[in-house]
Amino acid sequence: MNDTCVTTREARGSQQLKVRGLEAWYRESQALYGVDLDVYPGETVSLLGRNGVGKTTTLRSLMGIVRKRTGTVEFDQQSILRLPLHRVARTGIGFVPEERGIFASLNVEENLMLPPLVARNGKEMSLDEIYTLFPNLLERRYSPGTKLSGGEQQMLAIARILRTGVSLILLDEPTEGLAPVIVNRIGEMLRALKAHGLSVLLVEQNFRFAARIADHFYVMDQGEIIDSFAVAELPGRREALNKALGV
Amino acid sequence: MTMIFGVPLVVLTGQVMIGLINGSFYALLSLGLAVIFGLLRVVNFAHGAFYMLGAFVAWMLGQYLGLGYWGSLLIAPIIVGLAGALVERTMLRRLYDLDHLYGLLFTFGLALLLEGVFQHLYGVSGKPFSAPVEMRGVVRTDFVTVPVYRGWVVVASLLICFGTWALIEKTKIGSYLRAATEDSILVQAFGVNVPLLLTLTYAFGCGLAGIAGVLAAPIFQVSPTMGSNMIIIIFAVVVVGGMGSILGAIATGYLLGLVEGLTKVFYPEAANIAIFVIMAIVLLLRPAGLFGKEN
């Protein structure tokens, strides 16, 4: 079973994101103890684990927001660990933070237009396409970004990254605090991204949500990856997973 | 003669004009201070020194290069802005990760240094600087008397203040600045060169102080201490307006200039402390300032 999984992943080509032995520190206290993970082109990978095991820290370390790190992080075969923070996005990685990061002093359209384009590769979405997909953003484009509902803010946070033409999105807890009907909307959106050929590294507490859209899973505990499996292996692992995730 | 509250109208409007002129400088200076504080979280104590530098550079451009007022008004602020950029790149940015107090101490030291250098080179007495020939006249009407140059200062200050406001509120680079003021790390993670934005912002704020310095040169004397006389009032203005509020800094600048001018008419003894009394009252009632957001 493990073999079939490896073949399917490798059928996608070489790793788009390759992380080996990533350790990270907040000042003096170590938060990551050697994270190994891969994201293949076009794949949606979900990072599971209980609160405080280092999932968000992993995303922030990959992005370069957490600066004190060692190990290997390669994106499209290029090492990005030593790049200044603003250069990481330009390699084609977009970040959607857990708190969504919608700016109150910018209106909806300014929020959408804020991140600079990183690539013109056919993956970037035009403003028109975004407004077609999210008519409520069009309707409220001159309101302050933070006047939107939680679900609309989440869609805005994802949409503004789609506009930039990144090929990998680091997505932190997109469903947190949202009503089930909105969670379904976000799920549809992520499937649309996948169809578009974008890779997603998704941190999610909501395991049932992640199970519906991810191709591959990593389980984290205490700053380490403790398990890795493909979606096909999921049914046989539910019980062990429930234990590991404490649900 | 028309009287209002027992004061001749001409005296009253004269003081209102003086208040507006002082307010013009308060607004220009506190605006730069507010923009810098908003993004860099640095209380720029050197702001008065950059104001003085603007006046001195204009004087030097005229003295040594024979450049006229209008040329100086254009070039001196650019030179001051470049000086600000140099200070930010080589020194100030090393302090961002430390306690904010270090930025304040550094800029305070820089202000003393600049003032000392100019005192050493040019003495304390001050250098005369004349208004351009075409602005030496006086406009007299029945109810107000205004020297043309002072009228120009008010107009120029209004234009620059609202130009800056529009730059910040209505343009792309302004949206970077507003967003980075809220969360600079996220903006940088989106691919915006925030370190460069910080340099530009500091340079721009210093350049605004430089413009104020050139505008002030024909009204006050060009002297090494002109900045330190001004900076304390400017801090009071920023505190009353609310730290980091752009419109607040502009509006409060003019407002306090007017209040100060009117105090001179009605209760001259209090003119020098009026601004600080208002600051104390505002701090008691609304600690975040008139236009600041209460957290």
Side-chain angles (χ1 to χ4, degrees):
Chain A
M1 191 153 177
N2 221 4
D3 285 345
T4 56
C5 139
V6 168
T7 342
T8 25
R9 286 195 100 185
E10 280 178 349
R12 293 175 183 268
S14 57
Q15 297 101 324
Q16 186 174 35
L17 179 72
K18 182 177 168 187
V19 183
R20 293 292 177 272
L22 177 65
E23 303 189 13
W25 289 261
Y26 284 112
R27 293 187 184 275
E28 296 311 311
S29 79
Q30 189 164 2
L32 300 182
Y33 294 85
V35 170
D36 300 335
L37 62 83
D38 295 310
V39 178
Y40 284 80
E43 199 180 33
T44 298
V45 172
S46 180
L47 203 49
L48 305 170
R50 279 169 302 175
N51 259 333
V53 296
K55 305 188 298 296
T56 294
T57 305
T58 303
L59 294 194
R60 291 168 62 88
S61 303
L62 294 176
M63 202 64 217
I65 293 172
V66 173
R67 298 303 300 176
K68 202 173 169 188
R69 300 154 297 162
T70 61
T72 312
V73 179
E74 285 175 15
F75 182 69
D76 288 338
Q77 274 88 50
Q78 184 198 351
S79 171
I80 58 168
L81 205 63
R82 294 286 150 252
L83 291 181
L85 178 54
H86 57 272
R87 295 232 180 262
V88 176
R90 293 184 207 163
T91 65
I93 307 180
F95 179 54
V96 181
E98 186 175 3
E99 65 285 357
R100 289 163 196 148
I102 303 301
F103 297 98
S105 55
L106 275 62
N107 67 31
V108 169
E109 189 156 302
E110 285 174 325
N111 265 291
L112 261 176
M113 301 300 285
L114 182 76
L117 293 183
V118 298
R120 293 180 190 281
N121 50 11
K123 284 180 180 158
E124 78 275 14
M125 266 183 168
S126 70
L127 201 57
D128 286 343
E129 287 177 273
I130 288 173
Y131 282 149
T132 315
L133 210 58
F134 308 105
N136 21 1
L137 294 186
L138 175 65
E139 233 168 76
R140 310 200 52 191
R141 71 192 135 150
Y142 300 123
S143 330
T146 43
K147 293 278 184 235
L148 297 179
S149 71
E152 287 171 326
Q153 285 191 35
Q154 186 62 60
M155 287 176 200
L156 175 57
I158 299 175
R160 75 176 163 193
I161 296 301
L162 296 181
R163 203 189 58 84
T164 64
V166 295
S167 44
L168 169 67
I169 299 185
L170 309 183
L171 193 53
D172 199 353
E173 304 260 7
T175 67
E176 195 185 25
L178 299 181
V181 56
I182 309 290
V183 172
N184 287 339
R185 256 327 289 281
I186 306 261
E188 282 165 28
M189 209 174 149
L190 294 189
R191 273 188 284 272
L193 298 193
K194 199 194 271 193
H196 216 62
L198 282 149
S199 323
V200 178
L201 180 54
L202 170 72
V203 161
E204 196 42 87
Q205 289 280 343
N206 183 341
F207 172 62
R208 286 174 41 207
F209 176 78
R212 288 208 303 269
I213 51 173
D215 305 299
H216 198 91
F217 298 86
Y218 290 98
V219 183
M220 274 193 94
D221 194 27
Q222 298 187 353
E224 281 179 290
I225 301 287
I226 55 165
D227 202 2
S228 158
F229 55 91
V231 66
E233 299 168 68
L234 195 59
R237 294 192 179 234
R238 289 235 177 223
E239 208 150 311
L241 260 177
N242 284 346
K243 199 178 270 175
L245 301 178
V247 280
Chain B
M1 194 189 289
T2 325
M3 303 284 274
I4 291 179
F5 301 125
V7 177
L9 181 63
V10 184
V11 173
L12 193 66
T13 54
Q15 284 304 322
V16 166
M17 268 316 291
I18 289 177
L20 265 182
I21 289 155
N22 285 336
S24 299
F25 293 116
Y26 299 165
L28 274 176
L29 288 167
S30 58
L31 172 63
L33 210 61
V35 172
I36 290 172
F37 179 79
L39 186 61
L40 281 70
R41 299 284 140 186
V42 168
V43 177
N44 187 30
F45 241 96
H47 216 66
F50 283 110
Y51 163 77
M52 178 270 292
L53 191 63
F56 257 104
V57 169
W59 178 82
M60 289 193 284
L61 286 172
Q63 190 74 9
Y64 304 129
L65 300 178
L67 202 65
Y69 172 85
W70 298 106
S72 295
L73 185 62
L74 190 71
I75 292 175
I78 295 175
I79 294 176
V80 174
L82 288 175
L86 187 72
V87 165
E88 198 277 342
R89 278 267 140 156
T90 56
M91 295 175 265
L92 191 56
R93 71 169 34 181
R94 295 164 195 271
L95 306 175
Y96 293 151
D97 290 337
L98 303 173
D99 192 283
H100 296 326
L101 198 57
Y102 286 88
L104 190 145
L105 286 173
F106 164 71
T107 53
F108 184 55
L110 182 67
L112 292 178
L113 181 80
L114 279 171
E115 216 179 284
V117 165
F118 278 90
Q119 275 190 16
H120 178 72
L121 293 176
Y122 297 102
V124 285
S125 58
K127 304 285 179 192
F129 189 99
S130 35
V133 188
E134 60 272 28
M135 290 202 162
R136 281 186 196 152
V138 173
V139 175
R140 277 177 224 280
T141 67
D142 286 344
F143 60 93
V144 69
T145 303
V146 189
V148 175
Y149 183 77
R150 297 187 177 215
W152 153 246
V153 166
V154 175
V155 172
S157 157
L158 279 169
L159 287 176
I160 295 164
C161 283
F162 286 97
T164 304
W165 174 82
L167 178 72
I168 293 171
E169 291 297 326
K170 303 289 172 203
T171 67
K172 181 82 186 175
I173 190 146
S175 75
Y176 287 153
L177 184 119
R178 275 175 286 143
T181 297
E182 285 186 51
D183 186 347
S184 64
I185 290 182
L186 185 60
V187 172
Q188 199 180 352
F190 285 158
V192 176
N193 191 340
V194 170
L196 180 64
L197 189 66
L198 295 176
T199 307
L200 291 177
T201 304
Y202 192 73
F204 182 77
C206 293
L208 280 180
I211 293 178
V214 184
L215 287 173
I219 297 182
F220 313 112
Q221 275 195 328
V222 177
S223 94
T225 51
M226 64 191 284
S228 49
N229 296 338
M230 193 65 118
I231 192 74
I232 302 300
I233 297 178
I234 299 308
F235 276 121
V237 172
V238 173
V239 169
V240 171
M243 276 292 203
S245 160
I246 304 298
L247 269 184
I250 298 174
T252 315
Y254 292 108
L255 192 74
L256 290 189
L258 281 175
V259 169
E260 194 186 37
L262 290 175
T263 316
K264 278 194 185 122
V265 182
F266 294 106
Y267 192 56
E269 295 84 348
N272 289 332
I273 59 160
I275 287 179
F276 301 100
V277 172
I278 293 175
M279 181 180 83
I281 294 171
V282 168
L283 280 178
L284 276 176
L285 299 180
R286 236 185 110 82
L290 293 179
F291 297 87
K293 288 188 192 83
E294 307 270 353
N295 291 328

